[in-house]
Amino acid sequence: MNICVVGTGYVGLVTGAVFADLGNDVVCVDKLRAKIDSLKAGHMPIYEPGLEEMVARNVGDGRLTFTTDLPAGVRQSDVIFIAVGTPPRETGETDLSHVEAVAAEIGRTMDRYKVVVNKSTVPVGTGELVREVVARHQPAPIEFDVVSNPEFLREGSAIEDTLRPDRIVIGAPNQHAAMRLVELYAPLERPMIITDLPSAEVIKYASNAFLAAKISFINAIANICESAGADVTQVMKGMGLDNRIGSAFLQAGLGYGGSCFPKDVDSLIHTAGRLGYDFKLLKSVVEINRERAGRLVEMIRKVLGPMDDKTVAVLGLAFKPNTDDMREAKSVEVIQQLHGAGATVRAYDPVAADNAHPLLPEGVIYSASPYEAAQDADAVVLVTEWNEFKFLNLERLRSVLRRRAIFDGRNIWEPDRMRRLGFEYYSIGRKPVIPS
Ligand code: NAD
């Protein structure tokens, strides 16, 4: 099949590479010339495990190309995926200007029947909007269909998620359009659900909002555990073994960040409001999430006292492990607050330091290793649970610290082990370890 994917970000680039890998001819379009030039030169604009190899293989085999020429991409394709950004506005409403711009261009250049697929996360009703924009910009009426095919991949495991999704959602206005997508995805041999267009759009937001709610729920339980002397990790295990609940997204910590959950939850609250429903439950999910970084910093300040003569090593900057994405990363809030309180902050992340730099206060020192960050520091604050932190040489870490205090924002270490190693250890929803 000839496919055009518009937008070569996390979603578009991975989608394009995977479709090419399945044997399709794919042209990936982006409006950023620098991005396309660097992709043509074999450099990935994002860090995503396995992506570079997959792109190189398919470019080498002639199935995957990159261009800034959207009209050319549209003309040579039967199916066009819109995978551009849908950032939030101040109000929480979704900014659809990129989607609309692409839809207009598709309409202007469409020369025969096409299936236009919304892969970007867009509020319910956007499929209809895209239909209207495409039709309005056609020089002469040509038949086309708009399909919603929301994306559920997670950064850090995007290739794997795209190859083996739990389900593929296809919201189509008719069987013919639905079958084009079914045909395209058939080689993956994964469950597909075909719905009407608005239902597919709602499935995406409802899924993300539900997962965000699970995270905020367990964090609220963690708050209770802290006051009651209970252990949230044990509570989570006891809850998660219930098949009706499940353990996924039930880890207490600093809360959710990233390019999707915060904006998608805000967008659903906004959409609900527009449709006349006050989504109080989700408003609380947001509120609980907003408090997380502040609670951790408050704990640090209580333990360390005045911060202006303190040095703190922050481990992990990316919004989650295995990505260099800093959008809505909790590290930004934590570091801003520590810095604001007068602390000297030394930061380390395996891949996200360059992206973090413009977002963090001046004066933050970037270290080449966790041990360099912790050298003579008064505390270590774990913000992102990269695997390499789980396997840190804790004896070495202990030997370089001035004060052996660890604040674990993701509960990656066992309190008993930290006690044996002689650390002061503070984590989320669990009793602190304070050496006698
Ligand atoms: P991104 O910001 O990484 O990439 C978007 C790309 O679109 C950019 O390269 C931008 O230059 C390009 N673009 C914007 N306007 C364009 C235009 N007119 N013509 C051509 N290119 C244009 O975004 P992303 O993270 O890939 O997300 C894309 C969509 O997928 C969003 O709606 C997002 O909510 C959704 N989504 C993202 C993820 C994720 O983990 N990142 C997961 C599921 C869904």
Side-chain angles (χ1 to χ4, degrees), residues 19-299:
F19 282 150
D21 219 44
L22 295 177
N24 300 286
D25 283 316
V26 180
V27 53
C28 283
V29 181
D30 206 285
K31 65 177 181 182
L32 299 179
R33 178 161 297 282
K35 209 173 206 182
I36 292 299
D37 286 347
S38 95
L39 278 164
K40 281 181 171 168
H43 306 303
M44 296 303 103
I46 50 169
Y47 171 79
E48 194 58 52
L51 181 63
E52 192 165 345
E53 296 84 336
M54 187 179 266
V55 168
R57 185 166 63 239
N58 286 285
V59 168
D61 291 349
R63 284 189 300 267
L64 181 60
T65 54
F66 299 102
T67 183
T68 52
D69 189 347
L70 178 55
V74 169
R75 277 193 290 268
Q76 72 190 64
S77 307
D78 308 307
V79 180
I80 303 149
F81 283 85
I82 303 179
V84 296
T86 48
R89 294 190 199 277
E90 282 279 297
T91 54
E93 184 186 5
T94 300
D95 176 357
L96 289 172
S97 57
H98 301 302
V99 172
E100 288 189 53
V102 174
E105 195 61 28
I106 293 172
R108 272 193 285 272
T109 45
M110 189 180 280
D111 52 353
R112 61 192 151 85
Y113 173 81
K114 313 266 175 191
V115 177
V116 179
V117 187
N118 258 337
K119 193 166 255 313
S120 296
T121 302
V122 290
V124 60
T126 305
E128 193 40 47
L129 173 74
V130 166
R131 243 201 73 70
E132 186 269 309
V133 173
V134 171
R136 182 154 41 91
H137 287 83
Q138 288 182 327
I142 297 171
E143 230 189 291
F144 67 97
D145 282 308
V146 176
V147 173
S148 165
N149 171 221
E151 182 52 61
F152 298 94
L153 67 77
R154 296 160 299 175
E155 289 172 23
S157 53
I159 298 268
E160 177 63 19
D161 290 347
T162 308
L163 287 170
R164 268 171 282 280
D166 289 343
R167 77 308 204 184
I168 295 155
V169 176
I170 300 169
N174 57 55
Q175 201 182 3
H176 174 74
M179 288 319 287
R180 296 313 303 266
L181 279 256
V182 168
E183 199 187 319
L184 183 59
Y185 281 112
L188 295 180
E189 297 181 353
R190 303 301 298 163
M192 294 191 214
I193 166 164
I194 299 175
T195 68
D196 56 66
L197 224 135
S199 302
E201 291 171 335
V202 173
I203 286 171
K204 172 65 194 176
Y205 280 100
S207 303
N208 273 5
F210 186 79
L211 295 174
K214 265 188 111 175
I215 294 171
S216 278
F217 183 86
I218 197 68
N219 280 332
I221 295 292
N223 292 347
I224 295 172
C225 289
E226 274 167 28
S227 308
D231 179 335
V232 75
T233 51
Q234 292 181 30
V235 172
M236 180 276 283
K237 272 188 200 134
M239 289 173 66
L241 283 170
D242 186 328
N243 282 334
R244 296 168 303 175
I245 298 173
S247 58
F249 289 80
L250 216 52
Q251 279 76 32
L254 274 165
Y256 59 82
S259 65
C260 290
F261 282 6
K263 85 170 168 61
D264 292 351
V265 173
D266 284 349
S267 177
L268 186 52
I269 292 170
H270 188 274
T271 301
R274 180 168 55 80
L275 297 171
Y277 176 62
D278 182 9
F279 211 148
K280 292 193 188 113
L281 174 65
L282 276 190
K283 287 178 177 169
S284 298
V285 167
V286 172
E287 192 49 42
I288 291 165
N289 196 57
R290 201 177 281 138
E291 293 163 354
R292 300 311 294 165
R295 270 185 82 93
L296 182 74
V297 173
E298 208 178 286
M299 189 198 289

Side-chain angles (χ1 to χ4, degrees), residues 333-359:
E333 287 173 66
V334 170
I335 290 176
Q336 272 170 353
Q337 291 181 31
L338 289 171
H339 186 264
T344 300
V345 176
R346 281 203 224 111
Y348 168 76
D349 187 282
V351 299
D354 286 349
N355 288 350
H357 198 262
L359 303 174

